[in-house]
């Protein structure tokens, strides 16, 4: 994901004659893909040792990240689920905007168009996954 984001951002910046209607969503998508790639890298460095149910019913996960132990309380509030749904809807809207812009501006460089289309599919899939996961957690 990070490589796709970097290549999309570089091709976006080098496409000087392309309309801003494609360059803006492509740059936002590139930034999100790089951020998601960093997040995935940091999560692989974290090793989950165990999950414990606390006395009040809250879920605690004991992790070691970069050599330090910490306790993370799971988000079970309705506000957290609403935020996840809003983020998912934003990702879906960005994916649709990028996909439509890719199809509209066919005169854009081929590399930018191809990477934009792949990025729009990935963002849509990720947004859909977050949306369905937040709906499953409501049950």
């Amino acid at each position: 994901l990070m490589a796709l984001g970097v290549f999309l951002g570089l091709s976006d910046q080098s496409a000087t004659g392309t309309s801003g209607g494609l360059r803006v969503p492509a740059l936002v998508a590139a930034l999100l893909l790089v951020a998601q790639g960093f997040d995935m890298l940091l999560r692989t460095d974290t090793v989950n040792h165990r999950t414990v149910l606390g006395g009040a019913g809250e879920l605690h996960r004991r992790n070691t990240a970069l050599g330090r132990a910490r306790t993370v309380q799971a988000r079970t509030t309705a506000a957290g689920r609403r935020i996840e749904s809003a983020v998912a809807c934003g990702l879906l809207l960005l994916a649709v905007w990028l996909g439509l812009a890719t199809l509209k501006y066919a005169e854009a460089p081929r590399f930018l168009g191809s990477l934009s289309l792949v990025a729009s599919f990935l963002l849509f899939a990720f947004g859909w996954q977050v949306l369905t996961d937040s709906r499953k957690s409501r049950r």
Side-chain angles (χ1 to χ4, degrees):
L1 282 179
M2 195 179 322
L4 175 66
V6 168
F7 286 133
L8 181 59
L10 289 174
S11 64
D12 180 63
Q13 294 301 308
S14 66
T16 54
T18 307
S19 173
L22 175 60
R23 290 185 68 190
V24 170
L27 186 60
V28 172
L31 293 172
L32 284 173
L33 288 171
V34 169
Q36 181 64 28
F38 273 121
D39 186 50
M40 289 172 67
L41 272 176
L42 292 176
R43 284 185 189 192
T44 57
D45 286 343
T46 301
V47 178
N48 292 330
H49 284 291
R50 60 183 166 179
T51 303
V52 223
L53 194 59
E58 67 274 2
L59 183 67
H60 294 283
R61 194 176 317 135
R62 207 155 148 81
N63 296 329
T64 57
L66 304 175
R68 288 177 280 159
R70 62 187 176 117
T71 302
V72 179
Q73 186 173 5
R75 286 186 290 173
T76 57
T77 63
R81 286 191 297 264
R82 280 196 303 266
I83 290 171
E84 285 179 353
S85 295
V87 167
C89 289
L91 284 173
L92 292 174
L93 285 174
L94 176 63
V96 169
W97 179 25
L98 180 58
L100 290 175
T102 302
L103 296 175
K104 181 178 179 183
Y105 299 105
E107 73 277 355
R110 182 182 282 286
F111 196 61
L112 175 61
S114 300
L115 289 176
S116 295
L117 200 56
V118 170
S120 69
F121 287 136
L122 285 175
L123 286 173
F124 192 88
F126 182 67
W128 188 259
Q129 180 185 10
V130 170
L131 187 64
T132 56
D133 287 348
S134 69
R135 286 187 179 178
K136 285 179 188 175
S137 67
R138 289 181 192 171
R139 295 179 189 165

